[in-house]
Amino acid sequence: MVSEVSAPPKSASLVGALVGNNQIVLVAALVVICVGISLAVPQFYSSANIIAILRQVAMVLIVACGMTMLLITAEVDLSVGASLAFVGVVAMDVINVTDSVFLGALAGIAFGALVGLVNGLIVTRLKVNSLIATIGTMMILQGGVFLYSREAIQNHHHLPSFVDIGAGYVGPVPIPVIVAAVIFIASYVVLRHTTLGRYLFAVGANEKTARLSGLRTTWLKLFAFVLTGALVGVAGLILGSLMNAGQPTAGRGFELTVIAAVILGGTSLSGGRGTLIGTLLGVFVLKVIDDGIIVLQWNQDLQMIVPGVVLIAAIYLDILRRRADAR
């Protein structure tokens, strides 16, 4: 007797194709968005606007590189926005006290890494879920920054070298873009072409199996948390430089943008899968939409709404990917 195997519904096949070609879909979406905005506002392609987009992309991408590695290990950090603001305040305060941009930058990056270390220890040693742990850290940082400084800390010495971190150029290329490119390339090499990268994927795919295989899963997760924190420190310096001040209220909603971009790019919330190329495309999609809202003169509250909508859609796509893998 010959049994008939029914073909999957066309809609399911379409969804599977879209999920399987995530990066192609993101490129197509980016092209459509750019064309649509430019038809409404030709100034969208002006050099000034393109540079503004690249600066915003650079700041998000720097943190998204670390967040991609962290999500690959099946952990997450929701405190990056609050940490970003605190980094700027700490860096600006140290610069004002020491009259040294180097020491201020070092203090900012060290503070970000310390926050990452604390998050990592809470998750790996105290066994607190990373979502809950980093929400707690986020609340502590949001309150702590106002205990540290009730108002924005200005660049009292008016050091041009600090302003150059965010607003300077090397030739025609903005410095934040160069910094982001270096971090992106280094992260890509580590994740795709080193033993450390393979270990991170292994931890996220099955932590118990990885541990039984002899991998130090706790240290690998701790590395991902500290790296993410240090990269928040770098991004915080760029933001503080662009504002020429340490602003306690800066960075709100930043964590949503970062996580939405990473998941939209194809990194799984359940760990074990991710791609930095996808993350790059996800960041571009979100920041181009942000810029479009501004140049089209729409209500700028949409800049907070869009990442939330994208985050929900991206999580649903992640669910579809996992279902496709389970078949």
Side-chain angles (χ1 to χ4, degrees), residues 190-242:
V190 167
L191 204 53
R192 288 295 176 184
H193 300 287
T194 68
T195 302
L196 174 59
R198 290 192 292 274
Y199 286 172
L200 293 174
F201 278 104
V203 170
N206 192 319
E207 183 177 357
K208 184 177 179 180
T209 301
R211 186 168 57 250
L212 292 174
S213 300
L215 298 187
R216 304 180 71 178
T217 57
T218 296
W219 286 102
L220 289 165
K221 289 192 174 189
L222 203 57
F223 164 79
F225 271 108
V226 173
L227 177 65
T228 302
L231 293 179
V232 171
V234 176
L237 287 172
I238 293 173
L239 180 60
S241 171
L242 288 171

Side-chain angles (χ1 to χ4, degrees), residues 18-27 29 60-61 64 67-68 71-72 184 188 191-192 201 256-269 273-286 310-311 313-318 321:
L18 291 176
V19 170
N21 296 280
N22 186 68
Q23 293 179 22
I24 295 174
V25 173
L26 286 177
V27 171
V60 175
L61 181 61
M67 189 68 75
T68 300
L71 282 173
I72 283 171
F184 176 81
Y188 183 87
L191 204 53
R192 288 295 176 184
F201 278 104
L256 286 180
T257 302
V258 171
I259 295 171
V262 174
I263 298 175
L264 184 63
T267 299
S268 176
L269 267 176
R273 176 170 56 190
T275 163
L276 281 168
I277 299 296
T279 294
L280 174 64
L281 293 172
V283 173
F284 262 105
V285 167
L286 287 179
V310 171
L311 183 58
I315 291 173
Y316 179 64
L317 286 175
D318 182 45
R321 291 187 197 103

Side-chain angles (χ1 to χ4, degrees), residues 7-327:
K10 290 184 178 179
S11 59
S13 300
L14 178 60
V15 170
L18 291 176
V19 170
N21 296 280
N22 186 68
Q23 293 179 22
I24 295 174
V25 173
L26 286 177
V27 171
L30 188 59
V31 170
V32 170
I33 293 167
C34 289
V35 170
I37 296 173
S38 64
L39 288 175
V41 184
Q43 294 83 358
F44 174 75
Y45 285 125
S46 68
S47 59
N49 191 57
I50 290 173
I51 288 173
I53 293 173
L54 289 175
R55 279 204 179 97
Q56 292 301 313
V57 165
M59 195 164 62
V60 175
L61 181 61
I62 288 169
V63 180
C65 286
M67 189 68 75
T68 300
M69 293 189 186
L70 190 56
L71 282 173
I72 283 171
T73 67
E75 304 294 351
V76 67
D77 186 351
L78 289 177
S79 70
V80 294
S83 182
L84 186 82
F86 216 141
V87 163
V89 170
V90 168
M92 194 74 263
D93 191 31
V94 172
I95 289 171
N96 285 337
V97 171
T98 64
D99 196 21
S100 169
V101 173
F102 173 77
L103 291 177
L106 190 62
I109 295 172
F111 180 84
L114 178 62
V115 172
L117 177 62
V118 170
N119 284 332
L121 290 174
I122 292 172
V123 171
T124 59
R125 300 298 184 184
L126 302 183
K127 305 301 180 184
V128 179
N129 179 276
S130 61
L131 182 68
I132 303 302
T134 56
I135 287 176
T137 308
M138 175 182 70
M139 296 171 68
I140 292 169
L141 291 170
Q142 286 176 343
V145 71
F146 283 102
L147 290 177
Y148 187 92
S149 174
R150 281 287 174 184
E151 56 187 19
I153 299 179
Q154 305 298 326
N155 184 359
H156 295 320
H157 297 292
H158 303 289
L159 299 174
S161 55
F162 179 68
V163 178
D164 286 343
I165 293 173
Y169 293 82
V170 175
V173 184
I175 289 176
V177 174
I178 296 172
V179 173
V182 171
I183 290 172
F184 176 81
I185 293 169
S187 300
Y188 183 87
V189 170
V190 167
L191 204 53
R192 288 295 176 184
H193 300 287
T194 68
T195 302
L196 174 59
R198 290 192 292 274
Y199 286 172
L200 293 174
F201 278 104
V203 170
N206 192 319
E207 183 177 357
K208 184 177 179 180
T209 301
R211 186 168 57 250
L212 292 174
S213 300
L215 298 187
R216 304 180 71 178
T217 57
T218 296
W219 286 102
L220 289 165
K221 289 192 174 189
L222 203 57
F223 164 79
F225 271 108
V226 173
L227 177 65
T228 302
L231 293 179
V232 171
V234 176
L237 287 172
I238 293 173
L239 180 60
S241 171
L242 288 171
M243 297 187 299
N244 201 23
Q247 176 57 259
T249 58
R252 289 186 178 176
F254 182 77
E255 64 281 348
L256 286 180
T257 302
V258 171
I259 295 171
V262 174
I263 298 175
L264 184 63
T267 299
S268 176
L269 267 176
S270 60
R273 176 170 56 190
T275 163
L276 281 168
I277 299 296
T279 294
L280 174 64
L281 293 172
V283 173
F284 262 105
V285 167
L286 287 179
K287 298 319 292 183
V288 167
I289 291 174
D290 264 4
D291 185 76
I293 291 169
I294 295 172
V295 298
L296 291 169
Q297 298 182 344
W298 291 353
N299 190 323
Q300 292 192 22
D301 290 335
L302 289 169
Q303 289 180 307
M304 285 297 296
I305 295 173
V306 169
V309 173
V310 171
L311 183 58
I312 293 171
I315 291 173
Y316 179 64
L317 286 175
D318 182 45
I319 293 172
L320 293 180
R321 291 187 197 103
R322 280 183 279 168
R323 286 178 182 172
D325 287 345
R327 291 193 184 112

